[in-house]
Structure formats: C-alpha cells, structure tokens
Amino acid sequence: MATTRFFIYLLAVSAILLLLNTNPTRGSGEKHAGRSLFVFGDSLFDVGNNNYFPTTFRVNHWPYGETYFKLPTGRASDGRIIPDFIAEFAKLPLIPPYLQPALNSYTNGVNFASGGAGALQETNNGSVIALKTQLSNFKNVEEKLRHKLGGEEAKRLLSQSVYIFSIGTNDYLSPLASHSTLLPLFHSNKQAYVDMVIGNLTYVVKEIYNRGGSKFGFLNLGRVGCFPKMRDRKPGREGACTDKVTTMVKLHNRKLSKVLSKLERRLKGFKYSMFDFYTCFGERLNDPSKYGFKEEKMACCGAGPYRGNSGSCGGEGIKYELCENPSDYLFFDPAHPTEAADKQFAMLMWSGNSHITGPHNLRTLFQL
Ligand SMILES: *[C@@H]1O[C@H](CO)[C@@H](O)[C@H](O)[C@H]1NC(C)=O
Ligand SMILES: *[C@@H]1O[C@H](CO)[C@@H](O)[C@H](O)[C@H]1NC(C)=O
C-alpha cells in the first residue's frame, strides 16, 4: 500500500520535472543559460578580483562599501557599481569576481575586471590583471562551460551572452605616473599610442567573437582630467581639469567609435552598444544639481585638495575625511563615482536613447 503511494508520488514528481525541463522558453534545464553577463576591464567594473593577489590597487577597506554592502568588497565605491546594476536590470544575480575562491558556477557569467588594469600589458604591469590576461581567464571559463554543458550548449550560452568592457583610462594615466617603456611614444605620438590601446582592445573583442560572442557593450572614457586626483593644484589654475589627459581621452573616444562601427560592418552578427560616458559625465560636472548632486569637484572620501590625493580614502594608517552623505557627491574617492552616480550611468547604459547609447542599448542587446 505504502509502496504504491510512493510510486504514484514519484510519478508525479517526474512528470513535473519533465514539464519544467521541456519548457520551451528555456533552451535547456540550465538556469539562466543564455542570458549571462561577462565583465572585463578596470576599477570601474572590478567587484573584488584585486582582493586576491598582492597589489597596491586595492580597495577592500573601510569606508569602501559603507552604503550598500555595509562592508568593503573590493569595489571602488561606497556601494554597488555599474556591473551590479546591469546584472540587476537583466534579472541576474550579482556577477562574482573570477578569482573568488571556490567559485564553481559560471552560467550567469563572471567578472574578470581588475582595478588599475589597461588594454596594454605595460599598464601598471605586475600590479593588475591586464586585459589580455583577463582574456586568458575567459578562455579557462569557456573550457569549464564546455566541460559542464557540452560543446553545443556552451557555444549557445556564449553567443547569447553579453560582454561589457571598461578599459583605457589607466593606459593614459599610468605613463604619467611611472617610467613605462612606452613613455616616449606617449609623449611623441599621441595618435599612435591611442591606436595601440584600441588595437589591443580590438584583439580581445575579436578573440571573444571567434569563440561565439556576438553582443558587446562598451563605454567610452569619461572626464578623466576632472577626477578629484587630476584637478590642477597650481596657483592660478586651481581646480581646473587636466588638459593633457583630456586630449588623449578625446582621441581615444573618437577612435573607439570608428573601430566599433567598422567591426559591425566586417564581422557577421556582431552587435554592440556604446555608452557616451564622456558626455554624460560632462553633463553632471557642468550642472550637478540637475542630476541630484551637491558636490562635483571634491570627493566624498579622501585627503588633500579636493580630497584628491591618490589612494587617500582609508587604508592602514591613512588619515582621511569622509562626507556625511555620499549620494550628494559625484565622486566617492579621488578617481571613482559614488553608487548614486554609477546607478545613473548604468540606467543610461541599460535603456538610454540612441543619442547616449547606440546603436543598441544593453536592454536590447540582452533581448536580441
Ligand atoms: C612586466 O614586468 C616584468 C617584471 O617586472 C618584466 O619582466 C616584463 O617584461 C614586463 N612586461 C611588460 C609588458 O612591460
Ligand atoms: C598591443 O600593445 C603592444 C604593447 O603592449 C603593442 O606592441 C602591440 O603592437 C599592440 N597590438 C596592437 C594590435 O595594436
């Protein structure tokens, strides 16, 4: 008697499982397969990779994280950053950092970004995961997905996934601060230097495309010369944005737009989204109150003029000032936006109109 009832129960359970598995809106039984988010880049996108190897580009100390996570996570912000919001809008869980110990599920995507990284291997060499190494890490993940899901299913997941990039800022900042072997080129031929940065980014994009990726999201470079740490301190020019970097940033942004539309013409099925970060950043610097900010020059957290001394927001033995309410500020630390600002940027990347984010926005890329 009891056994019959047990078998009926088993039958019912199997029927339900079968129904779930054959649900036509899900290609396979894998949860979320096909809507994954892979993240590449620098500190604007790093959700904690730099916590896991020795580097000075590290922000896993108080007061980073104070607003949302209530503890430092390795994000260069008081709270969530752009990839966190994009994941939320795409109805995905938070995408974990690649180096997180015991990470074993990759089906929602992975974050490879590293604070301080550039497209060039030379940029902050030895202290960061350069873009090309991020690509190698992606290839490892691809292997693991193939092993877990099988070749066909892995390929489908990769082709339906969205790949987002924030890279370039550090390629233009690090030569100013170091004795990079590329310093002579940086000074003598700005266009050649920019072409090299974009050339390395293009290489990585093509490699992902060759492995089945087809949906790519980018932002151009923001107002790097107006970061609190970049503001001029010379008497007479006090508080002005740094022109030298701004020249490079403009060259970079122009080249990036050109190269992306060329890739779209040349590579079958290649689709992309480009968020005009430069313009949106500028709008908030020029008219902060329109966007809900009270302070656009000074960082919320840091020390020195504009609280802009490099690496001055917390850390062992460092004296710093901290604002009351980070969401009043455009910048949280000397070089990174607050959560409030990042949320606005992420919303524009997600659903901005074609003047701001084009030819697709991320919402349409996820739907395609
Ligand atoms: C990076 O640094 C290592 C040692 O510090 C050096 O051997 C290597 O050539 C450097 N690579 C680049 C691309 O600068
Ligand atoms: C990539 O950058 C290196 C310097 O790190 C440079 O030698 C090389 O030419 C660049 N590649 C492309 C395709 O631009």
Side-chain angles (χ1 to χ4, degrees):
M1 207 40 211
T3 30
T4 329
R5 215 176 289 153
F6 178 68
F7 274 115
I8 290 172
Y9 169 78
L10 259 189
L11 215 68
V13 169
S14 333
I16 289 168
L17 283 179
L18 205 71
L19 262 170
L20 285 177
N21 236 341
T22 52
N23 179 348
T25 59
R26 284 258 162 80
S28 79
E30 266 298 318
K31 233 172 96 204
H32 291 302
R35 310 190 82 239
S36 318
L37 177 64
F38 292 96
V39 181
F40 298 81
D42 52 27
S43 55
L44 205 59
F45 282 8
D46 184 356
V47 292
N49 282 309
N50 281 20
N51 295 350
Y52 301 109
F53 60 90
T55 174
T56 51
F57 294 90
R58 192 174 274 183
V59 289
N60 64 337
H61 53 257
W62 194 257
Y64 287 105
E66 61 163 352
T67 307
Y68 182 80
F69 299 99
K70 311 295 179 196
L71 82 178
T73 63
R75 290 167 174 81
S77 165
D78 55 303
R80 288 162 291 181
I81 58 174
I82 290 171
D84 299 322
F85 289 113
I86 301 298
E88 182 190 324
F89 301 153
K91 300 198 164 55
L92 291 165
L94 290 181
I95 305 301
Y98 174 74
L99 292 182
Q100 181 176 296
L103 182 66
N104 57 21
S105 175
Y106 300 101
T107 43
N108 290 314
V110 193
N111 185 318
F112 303 99
S114 164
L120 303 177
Q121 212 70 31
E122 287 86 351
T123 296
N124 297 319
N125 176 24
S127 303
V128 302
I129 311 167
L131 189 62
K132 220 172 262 179
T133 313
Q134 296 183 28
L135 174 67
S136 311
N137 292 340
F138 168 73
K139 290 175 182 173
N140 285 339
V141 167
E142 186 212 2
E143 264 309 312
K144 287 184 175 151
L145 283 171
R146 254 191 297 173
H147 190 75
K148 186 174 171 196
L149 306 174
E152 280 293 293
E153 192 57 31
K155 184 124 199 198
R156 182 156 62 178
L157 186 146
L158 294 180
S159 75
Q160 292 177 352
S161 298
V162 173
Y163 303 82
I164 59 174
F165 291 80
S166 163
I167 202 83
T169 300
N170 296 306
D171 295 301
Y172 304 110
L173 290 185
S174 86
L176 295 172
S178 71
H179 303 282
S180 165
T181 48
L182 299 175
L183 205 53
L185 183 64
F186 180 82
H187 287 298
S188 66
N189 192 338
K190 291 186 169 57
Q191 188 63 57
Y193 189 88
V194 167
D195 291 351
M196 195 167 73
V197 171
I198 303 273
N200 276 267
L201 171 57
T202 310
Y203 168 80
V204 170
V205 169
K206 282 182 176 163
E207 284 285 289
I208 296 170
Y209 172 83
N210 289 337
R211 283 167 172 72
S214 66
K215 307 182 200 182
F216 294 86
F218 303 88
L219 35 70
N220 62 13
L221 303 187
R223 293 293 174 109
V224 181
C226 307
F227 289 176
K229 78 167 183 180
M230 300 302 288
R231 293 244 177 217
D232 214 318
R233 295 154 182 220
K234 282 192 220 77
R237 275 191 54 85
E238 236 154 40
C241 303
T242 309
D243 296 336
K244 191 178 191 82
V245 172
T246 305
T247 307
M248 298 295 255
V249 163
K250 284 183 180 165
L251 287 174
H252 176 99
N253 290 349
R254 203 172 310 147
K255 181 82 184 184
L256 180 63
S257 292
K258 264 196 211 153
V259 162
L260 289 177
S261 67
K262 195 158 104 189
L263 287 178
E264 188 189 36
R265 275 180 273 123
R266 298 226 172 129
L267 306 179
K268 188 170 168 290
F270 178 89
K271 296 171 204 76
Y272 75 96
S273 164
M274 229 279 291
F275 168 53
D276 190 358
F277 192 34
Y278 186 86
T279 298
C280 292
F281 218 116
E283 287 168 352
R284 281 152 185 80
L285 284 165
N286 294 336
D287 193 359
S289 63
K290 183 174 168 194
Y291 300 93
F293 300 107
K294 294 186 180 139
E295 176 61 56
E296 80 287 7
K297 276 191 175 172
M298 190 188 298
C300 166
C301 176
Y306 311 101
R307 296 182 183 148
N309 290 353
S310 268
S312 66
C313 175
E316 217 170 295
I318 288 174
K319 279 215 173 80
Y320 64 97
E321 299 169 333
L322 180 63
C323 72
E324 246 339 274
N325 188 0
S327 65
D328 288 342
Y329 286 69
L330 186 56
F331 291 96
F332 181 64
D333 77 359
H336 303 99
T338 52
E339 176 183 78
D342 267 352
K343 183 170 190 180
Q344 294 184 8
F345 297 136
M347 286 173 78
L348 291 166
M349 288 173 75
W350 182 252
S351 57
N353 67 37
S354 58
H355 297 289
I356 292 298
T357 307
H360 301 284
N361 56 33
L362 289 180
R363 187 176 57 196
T364 52
L365 277 192
F366 268 94
Q367 284 166 351
L368 282 170

